[in-house]
Amino acid sequence: MEIPTIDDVIAAHERIAPHIHRTPVLTSSWLDQRSGARLFFKCENFQKAGAFKVRGATNAVFSLPDHLLEKGVATHSSGNHALSLSYAAGRRGIPCHVVMPHTAPQAKKDAVRAYGGIIRECEPSTSAREAMFAEVQAETGADFVHPYNDPRVIAGQATCSRELMSQTEGLDIVIAPIGGGGMISGTCLNLAATAPEVAIYAAEPEQADDAARSLHAGHIIADDAPQTVADGLKVPLKELTWHFVSRHVTDILTASEQEIIDAMRLTWARMKIVIEPSCAVPLAVILKHPEVFAGKRVGVIITGGNVDLDRLPWTQ
Amino acid sequence: MEIPTIDDVIAAHERIAPHIHRTPVLTSSWLDQRSGARLFFKCENFQKAGAFKVRGATNAVFSLPDHLLEKGVATHSSGNHALSLSYAAGRRGIPCHVVMPHTAPQAKKDAVRAYGGIIRECEPSTSAREAMFAEVQAETGADFVHPYNDPRVIAGQATCSRELMSQTEGLDIVIAPIGGGGMISGTCLNLAATAPEVAIYAAEPEQADDAARSLHAGHIIADDAPQTVADGLKVPLKELTWHFVSRHVTDILTASEQEIIDAMRLTWARMKIVIEPSCAVPLAVILKHPEVFAGKRVGVIITGGNVDLDRLPWTQ
């Protein structure tokens, strides 16, 4: 298992800079008052392709050696990684094959195709998608860029907290949602090397709390096909993300479906930004646990903004 | 009639700076490609109280002489000015009376009350609201801060394009929605004095096109109670805004209800920001008239983000 280093992060940041946005950090005096904390929202919903995942995907695509370019890249993803890899592959002019559950939001399927990605649909479970993926890879010979269990991807995601730290004057805590653990692992990789005084928390839906149970049990627990409105967070930890999570994460806190939806709606209403359910989980957790966050300077990673605007969770 | 000057604008900017945000300017490569223009969105949806109107309202409230403070301020407004005046009055610790149509979005009524504003509801027509307002003013003796036909308000709104010009490296056009004309008048006041080479366009709903008809006729035409999804733009020009519009606006272009809703949805989906229907009218007009905007550097004033999230126009 190849563990990425802080030098990989610095190289990734230079490599991807021409292809990504340095996204803004927003604050909200209303949410500060409500939470008792000082919150700094790193807005990766404004990122290219609408999500932080473009950082890792672009790092993987642009570090591909020339002899692998023709066969392109392939992945399986519940959405944003598919979009991001298609975007990055398009920027480099190489093919991108994507295995995606047929239940993924139509907006995400349309966007993958608009970036030139080639979709193969599967049943909405981790096992089904891995089986379909093996088939696609055998057919195409494309380089596998896993959504998170890949050192190139984690080094790319680490550039997000690198920017966040340079955009704020010191933080006590950084919190991000956890699904497979790519963003959290990148955050661990960067902060452990450059700002070890910052505590790292992860936020997870109660109904897909396999990472929280893993951390408390001391080994990876993987659930097949959990159900949650936070559709980016259904996937399990893998060995590389477990490496970082088990070593550097202070705690993983959970929120209920209703708490997630309320925090999402609150963010739209008060901050006037469109965010996905997945990235409302940290705010839900912050509001639920003032004993952890109140009085602290907290960096909150808003991971993405790709929502099906015809199906909002509070109007269902 | 007292005409505000550029010195009033500069004084207003200093006066209101502690109470407002210097809002960011966002760009979208996707919308640039779609429009053929280079678009710079001045995001007043991120402003205090969720709209640019806080600039003019704050300037009026904080320039009130001491002997008028006790009786406070009063206004009639379809929403954002009410919110903004309540916010500003709260910051100065004085009462704020608001006459508002009972059809105004619940979210706006709730927000006015949360800022401490005292609401009196009326029928949703210009004449009904003016009659009710006269009653309230007679009862309270509060200082009338008109939503737009007030030199203090126009000088305050002018600070928006002042910031926009300092945040961009030269513009060919600035475009904003037009209802009563407060933002457009402030834009005229500022740009005529500081950047007369920039053309000023206004954007209006076809179904509430009284300002466009006024400009083409050469005198104010006022409609009573027009119907449009852009609920901030139903009010007519008044003498002070007509002064600026008639002298400095190049043209007023219109968009249909469907074009406005499509542009609003496109902004949410692509820019990941929550904007009101009113401020989607400029983008609708830009996409409809490439012969005017393509190839140009265009500043677009996103006027506000106060939307009833339970009633989105594309899910009705």
Side-chain angles (χ1 to χ4, degrees):
Chain A
M1 186 167 70
E2 184 199 334
I3 310 290
T5 68
I6 189 68
D7 290 337
D8 295 322
V9 178
I10 293 164
H13 218 167
E14 285 175 17
R15 187 178 291 127
I16 70 180
H19 309 289
I20 66 160
H21 288 307
R22 181 182 165 92
T23 55
V25 172
L26 297 183
T27 59
S28 162
S29 52
W30 194 92
L31 286 174
D32 282 357
Q33 202 169 356
R34 171 82 178 263
S35 65
R38 186 93 180 81
L39 306 176
F40 299 87
F41 295 90
K42 176 67 172 163
C43 288
E44 291 287 294
N45 54 329
F46 296 154
Q47 190 48 271
K48 287 283 180 190
F52 78 87
K53 296 215 170 187
V54 83
R55 296 176 182 269
T58 303
N59 190 43
V61 164
F62 280 83
S63 56
L64 213 59
D66 288 350
H67 71 278
L68 294 179
L69 294 179
E70 196 182 341
K71 289 179 175 172
V73 288
T75 197
H76 50 77
S77 160
S78 60
N80 280 334
H81 177 65
L83 220 62
S84 299
L85 197 65
S86 301
Y87 164 82
R91 297 279 289 211
R92 204 164 183 194
I94 64 176
C96 176
H97 304 274
V98 175
V99 173
M100 191 181 250
H102 64 76
T103 53
Q106 188 60 41
K108 289 191 179 173
K109 292 182 196 169
D110 291 346
V112 164
R113 291 195 178 102
Y115 284 132
I118 304 148
I119 297 178
R120 284 277 288 273
E121 298 194 359
C122 67
E123 289 304 308
S125 75
T126 302
S127 51
R129 103 168 73 171
E130 290 183 351
M132 171 72 84
F133 181 75
E135 198 177 299
V136 169
Q137 210 183 8
E139 277 172 26
T140 63
D143 189 77
F144 181 25
V145 182
H146 190 281
Y148 48 93
N149 198 45
D150 183 310
R152 302 167 296 179
V153 170
I154 290 174
Q157 318 307 30
T159 62
C160 180
S161 60
R162 201 168 128 86
E163 287 176 18
L164 172 61
M165 293 306 287
S166 78
Q167 290 168 303
T168 51
E169 289 168 8
L171 295 173
D172 301 309
I173 293 173
V174 170
I175 184 167
I178 190 162
M183 170 50 75
I184 281 288
S185 294
T187 305
C188 292
L189 165 56
N190 175 55
L191 294 181
T194 62
E197 72 284 5
V198 180
I200 300 164
Y201 281 80
E204 195 174 33
E206 267 174 29
Q207 292 188 194
D209 69 343
D210 51 286
R213 285 184 287 127
S214 299
L215 187 66
H216 301 146
H219 58 87
I220 296 179
I221 297 171
D223 296 334
D224 205 28
Q227 288 305 311
T228 169
V229 67
D231 66 337
L233 307 182
K234 294 176 177 179
V235 290
L237 295 171
K238 295 277 183 183
E239 62 272 24
L240 192 53
T241 52
W242 175 246
H243 169 89
F244 288 103
V245 169
S246 60
R247 278 165 181 76
H248 301 293
V249 169
T250 298
D251 204 358
I252 301 179
L253 303 170
T254 62
S256 71
E257 297 295 290
Q258 192 58 52
E259 289 163 345
I260 296 168
I261 294 169
D262 289 349
M264 178 182 172
R265 194 179 194 289
L266 205 57
T267 305
W268 287 43
R270 289 287 166 174
M271 296 190 64
K272 315 298 181 189
I273 58 175
V274 171
I275 67 164
E276 301 176 2
S278 296
C279 44
V281 188
L283 180 62
V285 157
I286 288 167
L287 295 175
K288 193 173 179 175
H289 292 285
E291 78 282 5
V292 176
F293 300 98
K296 300 286 171 55
R297 292 171 59 86
V298 183
V300 183
I301 297 177
I302 297 284
T303 46
N306 293 321
V307 181
D308 190 338
L309 291 173
D310 294 321
R311 297 185 55 207
L312 300 180
W314 55 79
T315 59
Q316 298 294 298
Chain B
M1 187 166 72
E2 185 199 333
I3 309 291
T5 66
I6 190 68
D7 289 338
D8 295 324
V9 178
I10 294 164
H13 217 167
E14 284 175 18
R15 187 178 289 126
I16 70 179
H19 309 289
I20 67 160
H21 289 306
R22 183 182 163 92
T23 55
V25 172
L26 297 184
T27 59
S28 162
S29 52
W30 194 91
L31 286 175
D32 281 358
Q33 203 170 357
R34 171 82 178 262
S35 66
R38 187 92 179 82
L39 305 176
F40 299 87
F41 295 90
K42 175 66 171 164
C43 287
E44 291 287 294
N45 55 328
F46 295 154
Q47 189 49 268
K48 287 283 181 190
F52 78 88
K53 296 214 171 188
V54 84
R55 296 175 182 268
T58 303
N59 189 43
V61 164
F62 280 84
S63 55
L64 213 60
D66 287 350
H67 70 279
L68 294 180
L69 293 179
E70 198 182 337
K71 291 180 175 172
V73 288
T75 198
H76 49 77
S77 160
S78 60
N80 280 334
H81 177 65
L83 220 63
S84 298
L85 197 66
S86 303
Y87 164 83
R91 297 279 290 212
R92 202 163 183 196
I94 65 175
C96 177
H97 304 276
V98 175
V99 174
M100 191 182 251
H102 64 77
T103 50
Q106 188 60 40
K108 289 191 178 172
K109 292 182 196 168
D110 292 347
V112 164
R113 292 196 179 102
Y115 284 131
I118 304 148
I119 297 179
R120 284 277 287 275
E121 299 195 358
C122 67
E123 289 305 307
S125 74
T126 301
S127 49
R129 104 167 72 170
E130 290 183 351
M132 171 72 84
F133 181 74
E135 198 178 302
V136 169
Q137 210 183 7
E139 278 173 27
T140 63
D143 189 77
F144 181 25
V145 183
H146 190 280
Y148 49 93
N149 198 44
D150 184 309
R152 302 166 296 180
V153 170
I154 290 174
Q157 317 307 30
T159 62
C160 181
S161 59
R162 203 169 125 86
E163 287 177 18
L164 173 61
M165 293 306 289
S166 79
Q167 290 168 303
T168 50
E169 290 169 7
L171 295 173
D172 301 309
I173 294 174
V174 170
I175 184 168
I178 190 163
M183 169 50 77
I184 281 288
S185 294
T187 305
C188 291
L189 165 56
N190 175 54
L191 294 182
T194 62
E197 72 284 4
V198 181
I200 300 164
Y201 281 80
E204 196 174 33
E206 266 173 29
Q207 293 188 195
D209 67 342
D210 51 286
R213 284 184 288 128
S214 300
L215 187 66
H216 300 146
H219 59 86
I220 297 178
I221 298 171
D223 297 334
D224 205 29
Q227 289 305 312
T228 170
V229 67
D231 66 336
L233 306 182
K234 294 176 178 179
V235 290
L237 295 171
K238 294 277 185 186
E239 61 272 26
L240 192 53
T241 52
W242 173 246
H243 170 88
F244 288 103
V245 169
S246 60
R247 279 166 181 74
H248 301 294
V249 169
T250 299
D251 204 357
I252 301 179
L253 303 171
T254 63
S256 70
E257 296 295 290
Q258 192 58 52
E259 288 163 346
I260 295 167
I261 294 169
D262 289 349
M264 177 181 173
R265 194 180 195 290
L266 204 58
T267 305
W268 288 44
R270 289 288 166 174
M271 295 190 66
K272 315 297 181 190
I273 59 175
V274 171
I275 67 165
E276 302 176 1
S278 297
C279 45
V281 189
L283 180 61
V285 157
I286 289 166
L287 295 175
K288 193 174 178 174
H289 292 285
E291 77 283 5
V292 176
F293 299 98
K296 300 284 169 57
R297 291 169 62 84
V298 183
V300 183
I301 298 176
I302 297 284
T303 47
N306 294 320
V307 181
D308 190 339
L309 292 174
D310 294 322
R311 297 183 58 206
L312 299 179
W314 55 81
T315 57
Q316 298 295 298

